[in-house]
């Protein structure tokens, strides 16, 4: 009531200064001036009185526009009335008195919207957390996507390899045209000093290897592999393969030297030697290369082909096996060749 009275006194002095009659002051208006919307009614009444009493022409358009909006209910109209009072030239105390009446309405509206505003603030806070550079959800999605790509790539790779295998196995094996010109007649001495020819091996599957007894590493490895392979073949199929060692160093590999050498690898291994011309003839028949290297007196090495030859019971060439075969693959390869010709 004190604020309303002060506002009325200010309005009265301003009206007198402008030559207007003072606004009415009924007790009912003073009692309800602090109620929500009271400032709107007070401002509307004052504008109506000011317009009817002859407001200056420069202020009339603005007053008419505000009069159309000031009657709207709520705190917004109270603020419009306060703005008009300030534009009309009233003191800040008068406009503050009009704005005070809108505060209950603002509080009421604020209380009604506290839930929404609180939710929006919480939502904004949540968004700020979730909207960071990396969240747990995005990290999880990244892991799942990466894992899926890896699984898919691995599956496609295996499928492609399987297709290549199927295409390879689907190729029909054409019958070979003729046989390689490997093998032929020979006449040598075995490790017991007895003459031996190719005819002594007819009726048996034979595995031949060319080397020399002074070989530091390759020949021992190959002969050991040969011995293991023929034992595996006998264990798996009960077939007996005759292992044969032919020297390419006739100058040093005598009958006694060859006998002591072959006995170190397998009891069934047969060692053959001969003269330089005889060794040259048999090596040429089996397409074997050999040559002395690093000769220093009687100590030298022999460079030679590292190949094993599988011969059928007719002493005809079937297949050769290089250094890349181990004992298992050599045994399996020989078994496959023998079964394929039975």
């Amino acid at each position: 009531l004190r604020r309303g009275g002060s506002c009325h006194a200010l309005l009265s002095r301003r009206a007198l200064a402008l030559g207007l009659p003072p606004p009415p002051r009924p007790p009912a208006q003073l009692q309800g001036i602090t109620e929500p919307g009271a400032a709107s009614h007070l401002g509307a009444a004052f504008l109506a009185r000011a317009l009817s009493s002859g407001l200056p022409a420069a202020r009339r358009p603005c007053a008419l526009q505000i009069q159309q909006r000031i009657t709207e209910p709520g705190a917004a109209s109270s603020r419009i009335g306060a703005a008009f009072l300030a534009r009309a030239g009233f003191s800040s105390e008068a406009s503050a008195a009009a704005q005070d009446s809108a505060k209950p309405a603002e509080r009421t509206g604020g209380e009604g919207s506290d839930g929404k505003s609180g939710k929006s603030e919480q939502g904004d806070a949540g968004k700020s957390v979730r909207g960071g550079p990396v969240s747990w959800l995005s990290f999880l999605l990244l892991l799942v996507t990466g894992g899926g790509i890896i699984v898919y790539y691995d599956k496609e790779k295996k499928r492609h390899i399987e297709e290549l295998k199927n295409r390879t196995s689907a190729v029909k094996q054409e019958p070979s045209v003729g046989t390689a010109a490997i093998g032929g007649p020979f006449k040598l001495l075995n490790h017991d000093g007895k003459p031996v020819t190719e005819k002594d091996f007819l009726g048996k599957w034979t595995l031949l290897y060319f080397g020399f007894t002074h070989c530091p590493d390759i020949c021992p490895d190959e002969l050991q592999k040969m011995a293991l392979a023929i034992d595996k073949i006998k264990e798996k199929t009960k077939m007996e393969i005759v292992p044969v060692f032919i020297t390419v160093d006739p100058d040093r590999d005598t009958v006694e030297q060859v006998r002591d050498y072959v006995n170190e690898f397998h009891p069934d291994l047969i060692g053959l030697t001969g003269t330089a011309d005889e060794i040259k003839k048999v090596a040429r028949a089996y397409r074997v290369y050999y040559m002395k290297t690093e000769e220093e007196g009687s100590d030298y090495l022999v460079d030679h082909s590292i190949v094993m030859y599988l011969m059928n019971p007719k002493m005809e060439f079937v297949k050769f096996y290089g250094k890349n075969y181990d004992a298992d693959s050599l045994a399996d390869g020989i078994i496959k060749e023998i079964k394929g010709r039975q």
Side-chain angles (χ1 to χ4, degrees), residues 55-342:
L55 192 68
R59 299 181 181 270
R60 294 184 67 84
C62 181
L64 290 172
Q65 182 179 3
I66 294 176
Q67 185 182 29
Q68 295 175 358
R69 297 176 58 186
I70 202 170
T71 55
E72 297 176 0
S77 58
S78 300
R79 287 192 294 269
I80 293 174
F84 173 76
L85 292 177
R87 178 181 285 272
F90 291 97
S91 63
S92 58
E93 295 181 2
S95 59
Q99 285 182 346
D100 287 340
S101 62
K103 288 184 180 180
E106 290 177 357
R107 295 192 189 98
T108 305
E111 291 175 358
S113 59
D114 280 344
K116 294 183 179 179
S117 62
K119 290 181 180 179
S120 63
E121 290 176 358
Q122 294 177 358
D124 292 341
K127 290 180 181 178
S128 62
V129 173
R130 292 193 299 269
V134 178
S135 64
W136 285 109
L137 179 59
S138 61
F139 182 70
L140 179 61
L141 291 176
L142 179 62
L143 289 180
V144 172
T145 304
I149 293 174
I150 293 174
V151 171
Y152 175 77
Y153 174 77
D154 186 63
K155 183 177 180 181
E156 288 296 314
K157 182 179 179 180
K158 291 180 179 179
R159 183 180 64 83
H160 182 66
I161 294 175
E162 190 67 25
E163 289 180 355
L164 292 178
K165 290 182 179 179
N166 294 336
R167 291 176 186 175
T168 304
S169 61
V171 177
K172 295 182 179 180
Q173 298 290 337
E174 298 294 338
S176 60
V177 179
T179 57
I182 296 177
F186 60 84
K187 185 178 180 180
L188 300 170
L189 295 176
N190 66 12
H191 59 265
D192 292 328
K194 296 179 180 180
V196 174
T197 66
E198 76 283 354
K199 295 179 181 179
D200 293 320
F201 299 98
L202 294 177
K204 304 174 184 177
W205 286 88
T206 307
L207 192 62
L208 300 176
Y209 177 76
F210 290 79
F212 64 106
T213 62
H214 290 78
C215 181
D217 48 12
I218 296 178
C219 292
D221 292 342
E222 292 299 299
L223 290 176
Q224 185 177 7
K225 180 172 65 177
M226 175 189 284
L228 291 173
I230 61 175
D231 287 341
K232 291 178 180 292
I233 293 171
K234 186 175 182 179
E235 181 182 352
K236 292 181 179 180
T237 64
K238 307 300 181 183
M239 294 186 298
E240 293 187 0
I241 308 297
V242 180
V244 178
F245 168 77
I246 301 177
T247 183
V248 292
D249 184 15
D251 296 337
R252 293 183 297 184
D253 290 344
T254 62
V255 172
E256 294 78 10
Q257 178 71 22
V258 172
R259 180 174 59 247
D260 294 339
Y261 187 70
V262 298
N263 287 337
E264 295 178 0
F265 297 99
H266 199 279
D268 295 336
L269 181 60
I270 298 175
L272 301 179
T273 186
T275 65
D277 290 338
E278 290 172 343
I279 296 299
K280 183 178 181 181
K281 183 179 179 180
V282 68
R284 184 180 299 169
Y286 283 87
R287 303 297 188 269
V288 174
Y289 160 81
Y290 71 98
M291 183 179 66
K292 291 182 181 180
T293 61
E294 301 181 9
E295 186 172 356
E296 296 180 2
S298 61
D299 188 12
Y300 58 88
L301 297 176
V302 180
D303 187 18
H304 62 90
S305 303
I306 307 173
V307 180
M308 295 183 191
Y309 297 97
L310 179 63
M311 311 300 289
N312 65 16
K314 296 181 180 181
M315 280 302 286
E316 296 173 343
F317 170 76
V318 175
K319 190 173 182 179
F320 69 89
Y321 301 91
K323 190 175 181 294
N324 56 316
Y325 283 81
D326 59 11
D328 292 329
S329 59
L330 178 61
D332 294 339
I334 292 174
I335 293 173
K336 181 179 179 181
E337 293 296 332
I338 293 175
K339 289 185 176 181
R341 286 168 171 75
Q342 287 179 346

